[in-house]
Amino acid sequence: MPDKKTGTLYEVLGVKHDAKTTDITRAYKRITTQLASETAAPDARLAARAKVAYEILSDPGKRDEYDKSLRVAATKKPARHVTALIAGIAVLVAAAIVASMYATRSKEAQAAGPLTSEQLLALGESLALPMEETRISGEVAHTGVAVATGPYEMVTPCHTLAAGAQILVGLGAKATHADMSRADVERDICMLRVKDSNDVVAKLRASDPAAGEKVYTVVRMGPKPSQLREGHMTRVIAGAKGGKAYEVVLPGTIPNGSPLLDERGNMVGIVTEPHDFGAGITVALAASRISQTVALERTTLERAQSAVAAQPKTSSGTVDDDAGSAETAPARVEGKPRNVGEAYRKMDQERSRTLDQAVNEQVNGKPKR
């Protein structure tokens, strides 16, 4: 985490003075992600300074003026010092305003009490969608539910998915095709990419629920009415493969992938069924597993997007796909894509090295040598 007490706006974001806009954007996203994490201590001042730093340094005009003020301040000439002082005051005022907003939101979040049963049910219905897959054999299997973790992404346990199957999430006319974007078999978390954006996404809880703490899930089984089930946390399963898992007590049968929520609506994990953690118990894969898998996939996407952003642009600002053609481009720099198409192909190749093999091994077992 960059220095949050003193320094220039570049130091606030932890980037060099000659950093590219993509580096500035990436640094700002990293800070906001860390601040949003439940494990990070609230820091309204850093949030405010980071926002101001990003808004100024990502705008070429504002950045140029800010750089000029730094140069003026370095000369220590009284006549020009006023300009730098005014610029500094403006930044501090803006930071104070944003800090006040963050502080207000923090107090509102702390004041918010547990959700009602109706609110938990509505949240669970928004987060989780029934899932089915059409396998290569033609068999249609209902494999549980998938849970929204981002605008176009959902997660579900890997172990019930068949290699090569076509996946649908949702019900009836609203059902939509889903592509698998990452199969993290080690953690038993598969990420799906969906066409339609999810209006509500899960807020992942970083800390473990305490023994005896109330937990909830929403059961969605096809067209049947959704049901809210209340239970409690029993224990963290020690030595669980792929990360933490929880033993919980919940009534009835819980579909695979169902979200496990705390009383404030944070998702502490997803139910896995069937499992090999022991007979007669209900088990949830911890939210920390999901966070790790999601982080891997988003890092892959960011690398591809950064590679695209670094490509030559046309006069209209779009990526020039011809700029890296064999006829016009200089010798290729090893590891650097020539154009947008190659950038995304490289990303897909990286995924394919683990995706099909991982799912096949999960479903059919590792091939014998």
Side-chain angles (χ1 to χ4, degrees):
M1 184 76 72
D3 182 5
K4 55 190 176 184
K5 296 180 180 180
T6 60
T8 68
L9 298 184
Y10 292 99
E11 291 170 333
V12 170
L13 295 181
V15 298
K16 296 181 179 179
H17 190 275
D18 59 352
K20 296 180 180 178
T21 303
T22 52
D23 297 326
I24 291 169
T25 301
R26 191 180 300 111
Y28 178 62
K29 287 182 178 179
R30 182 178 65 254
I31 292 174
T32 55
T33 299
Q34 290 175 329
L35 289 173
S37 171
E38 194 168 324
T39 58
D43 194 334
R45 188 172 185 271
L46 175 57
R49 285 177 59 81
K51 181 176 176 63
V52 171
Y54 171 69
E55 290 179 348
I56 290 177
L57 300 183
S58 63
D59 183 298
K62 293 179 181 178
R63 182 176 181 177
D64 185 56
E65 289 297 320
Y66 177 70
D67 288 345
K68 289 179 181 177
S69 72
L70 292 180
R71 290 192 293 272
V72 168
T75 64
K76 296 183 180 181
K77 291 182 179 180
R80 295 184 178 181
H81 182 67
V82 176
T83 303
L85 180 61
I86 293 174
I89 292 174
V91 170
L92 290 175
V93 170
I97 293 173
V98 178
S100 176
M101 293 170 58
Y102 273 87
T104 300
R105 291 176 185 173
S106 178
K107 290 179 181 179
E108 290 174 352
Q110 293 175 2
L115 301 183
T116 65
S117 297
E118 292 77 12
Q119 289 173 324
L120 287 168
L121 177 61
L123 176 61
E125 285 184 322
S126 300
L127 292 176
L129 293 177
M131 183 176 63
E132 68 176 32
E133 60 179 17
T134 303
R135 296 172 177 169
I136 295 176
S137 63
E139 174 192 6
V140 176
H142 297 280
T143 51
V145 301
V147 180
T149 52
Y152 298 94
E153 67 183 34
M154 307 190 81
V155 298
T156 193
C158 278
H159 69 274
T160 58
L161 299 179
Q166 298 295 311
I167 302 172
L168 284 178
V169 292
L171 292 171
K174 294 185 177 180
T176 183
H177 175 74
D179 294 312
M180 192 179 299
S181 58
R182 180 170 292 271
D184 190 343
V185 172
E186 179 184 358
R187 298 182 180 89
D188 197 16
I189 300 294
C190 276
M191 285 187 66
L192 307 177
R193 185 70 51 185
V194 293
K195 180 180 179 181
D196 298 325
S197 176
N198 307 304
D199 295 328
V200 179
V201 299
K203 181 180 179 183
L204 302 179
R205 172 168 158 172
S207 59
D208 298 326
E213 181 178 338
K214 287 184 179 180
V215 290
Y216 305 85
T217 192
V218 173
V219 174
R220 303 203 68 181
M221 301 181 69
K224 296 180 181 180
S226 301
Q227 298 177 13
L228 180 68
R229 305 273 179 88
E230 178 183 324
H232 64 270
M233 168 71 173
T234 300
R235 64 186 176 96
V236 176
I237 299 176
K241 178 184 176 182
K244 290 182 179 178
Y246 306 132
E247 180 184 346
V248 296
V249 174
L250 287 166
T253 301
I254 311 299
N256 184 54
S258 297
L260 190 68
L261 308 172
D262 65 14
E263 63 181 3
R264 296 179 183 275
N266 301 308
M267 191 165 81
V268 299
I270 54 176
V271 174
T272 178
E273 175 65 32
H275 59 75
D276 57 3
F277 291 98
I281 63 174
T282 301
V283 174
L285 304 176
S288 57
R289 295 190 187 215
I290 299 172
S291 298
Q292 292 163 348
T293 301
V294 167
L296 288 172
E297 177 61 14
R298 290 179 180 172
T299 298
T300 300
L301 287 173
E302 285 180 5
R303 284 204 301 266
Q305 291 165 354
S306 296
V308 171
Q311 301 310 306
K313 302 295 190 297
T314 65
S315 58
S316 61
T318 59
V319 174
D320 186 358
D321 282 339
D322 294 328
S325 66
E327 293 80 7
T328 60
R332 174 180 176 179
V333 178
E334 184 63 28
K336 182 178 180 181
R338 288 194 180 106
N339 52 44
V340 60
E342 186 172 343
Y344 279 102
R345 281 195 297 274
K346 187 173 182 180
M347 178 183 68
D348 288 336
Q349 288 169 359
E350 181 178 336
R351 285 173 170 165
S352 67
R353 280 195 291 269
T354 59
L355 191 57
D356 292 337
Q357 178 184 355
V359 177
N360 270 295
E361 288 182 1
Q362 181 73 33
V363 176
N364 303 318
K366 293 185 177 181
K368 296 180 180 180
R369 295 183 178 180

